[in-house]
Amino acid sequence: MGNDYDRETKNVAAPAEPGFKLVGFSKFVRTNPKSDLFRVKRFHHLEFWCTDATNSARRFSWGLGMPIVAKSDLSTGNLTHASYLLRSGQLCFLFTSPYSTSIAFAENVGPTATASIPTFDHVACRSFASSHGLGVRAIALEVENADDAFHVSVANGAKPVSKPLLLDDRATVAEVHLYGDVVLRYVSYKNPNLHRESDSPDSWFLPKFEPVEEGSSYPVDFGIRRLDHAVGNVPELSPAIAYVKNFTGFHEFAEFTSEDVGTSESGLNSAVLANNEETVLLPMNEPVYGTRRKSQIQTYLEHNEGAGVQHLALMSEDIFRTLREMRRRSGVGGFEFMPAPPPTYYKNLKNRVGDVLTDEQITECEELGILVDRDDQGTLLQIFTKPIGDRPTIFIEIIQRVGCMLPDEEGKLYQKGGCGGFGKGNFSELFKSIEEYEKTLEAKRNP
């Protein structure tokens, strides 16, 4: 790629990756050493690479209640790619697809001169869509200083993808390899105070994006507010965790093994990395081999043609409202959900969370198919969609965390990051649900 980092001019020897060994849910002791190597503020956005950004953006807008708020396309002078930004609260989804290479490369000033995402690459985007279908290309983090974050990451073993690029003297963007064809993108603003949520989208997202015309996007809002975690599937967990942990300084937040969440037929291993504030959570899964059935993680890796983002957990301020709206649209352009657990699951729910949820809320959980679990700190409500594209790969999780309210320096209450954990019981239910879903697909192939 044209933006590849110049390894010769920045020849920094990477230190050896530390060892990593899973101990499992029951033996894992959660600690927070506050070990970040650079300041990470929050998830900034997720960029999907696809072949039709217009219709992909509209489908997600309708299905998730996320208005299209900004654009960069032919109408804004971008001859390189079409990009549309969806936003709900702090959650930002960016959908990008390529324009004709003959037009882009015909420009006298180069194929990316008009691009609003300077790291965009025609060849890589087309190859990505061919290999993976609809999927996440970039997990973007807002950091204190993208230039520093990039150089610290590379010095600690990160594989560079795009060196820091200053955009319109307002924002800096850089990228390093995460796993598969997915990159970790760093974004920082020259004056962060000018980029608040209340500002217009084009001023606080990235330069060269313009607000969409009034009325061009339906003003929907289902209550989704931010990205809680982004999960990746990888062939081997230990080197992937060690790699990311080494160049970010992120600490381990949770662990699961096949004994925790598997079935008698298949399993997976999983670990979660988190930043200092535990507001940026990056879980990763690997398949367990040698079981009676092929692991669903292995199925993902085959259909995705390698590692990639498996699912995105979207935080709702009112999961009941969010689910009612999403389910209304499931059969008319929205997203379908995995089958709900059996009635016995909800009969036992009052004994487990009756002190947190009312009887009416427990009933609503059963009606909507919401899973509920808790740890020693809080309660987690969650539900999972079926795969959102043609392939049995990426899907979406809707969650709400309850509890863990703490006062900040000014005495205002905020919710501690990762409250309620990742729901070992819910994780197991999800695994069983996906396994049953895969069995229905196999039955069609083998009547």
Side-chain angles (χ1 to χ4, degrees), residues 392-409:
T393 51
I394 187 170
F395 58 92
I396 288 172
E397 172 186 359
I398 305 296
I399 73 170
Q400 183 175 355
R401 298 185 183 276
V402 181
C404 312
M405 303 305 293
L406 300 172
D408 61 16
E409 295 177 353

Side-chain angles (χ1 to χ4, degrees), residues 46-61:
L46 291 156
E47 184 178 21
F48 293 78
W49 270 1
C50 53
T51 58
D52 186 344
T54 297
N55 285 298
S56 295
R58 288 175 177 172
R59 191 262 180 118
F60 276 73
S61 175

Side-chain angles (χ1 to χ4, degrees), residues 171-329:
T172 301
V173 173
E175 294 176 357
V176 296
H177 176 256
L178 187 58
Y179 44 66
D181 287 330
V182 182
V183 299
L184 192 63
R185 177 178 292 162
Y186 300 135
V187 179
S188 64
Y189 294 109
K190 191 170 183 179
N191 188 347
N193 293 328
L194 295 178
H195 300 274
R196 298 185 302 274
E197 196 172 318
S198 59
D199 293 334
S200 61
D202 61 315
S203 68
W204 70 263
F205 182 64
L206 287 175
K208 294 187 179 181
F209 276 81
E210 297 181 7
V212 299
E213 296 81 3
E214 186 176 352
S216 63
S217 177
Y218 194 72
V220 286
D221 181 1
F222 302 168
I224 295 172
R225 291 295 174 257
R226 66 178 179 86
L227 178 67
D228 185 85
H229 56 275
V231 184
N233 283 352
V234 297
E236 294 184 75
L237 185 62
S238 181
I241 288 289
Y243 167 71
V244 178
K245 185 178 179 181
N246 202 45
F247 77 76
T248 60
F250 286 6
H251 63 278
E252 295 164 44
F253 181 86
E255 288 187 5
F256 301 94
T257 65
S258 56
E259 295 179 356
D260 299 316
V261 298
T263 68
S264 61
E265 297 184 86
S266 66
L268 62 76
N269 294 320
S270 181
V272 183
L273 294 182
N275 67 330
N276 283 355
E277 287 73 30
E278 298 183 338
T279 53
V280 172
L281 302 170
L282 297 175
M284 284 177 256
N285 306 322
E286 72 172 356
V288 171
Y289 298 97
T291 52
R292 288 173 57 190
R293 288 179 49 80
K294 182 190 299 182
S295 169
Q296 58 197 238
I297 309 303
Q298 187 177 349
T299 298
Y300 171 98
L301 294 172
E302 291 174 354
H303 280 274
N304 194 64
E305 298 187 10
V309 173
Q310 181 214 39
H311 77 267
L312 304 168
L314 313 183
M315 175 81 80
S316 170
E317 65 180 10
D318 182 350
I319 194 169
F320 303 115
R321 171 191 165 203
T322 300
L323 263 294
R324 285 193 296 270
E325 294 291 346
M326 288 185 66
R327 282 195 177 278
R328 287 192 185 106
R329 292 159 175 79

Side-chain angles (χ1 to χ4, degrees), residues 158-172:
K159 300 172 185 176
V161 175
S162 175
K163 64 184 179 181
L165 298 169
L166 181 62
L167 311 182
D168 195 26
D169 200 33
R170 294 158 59 194
T172 301

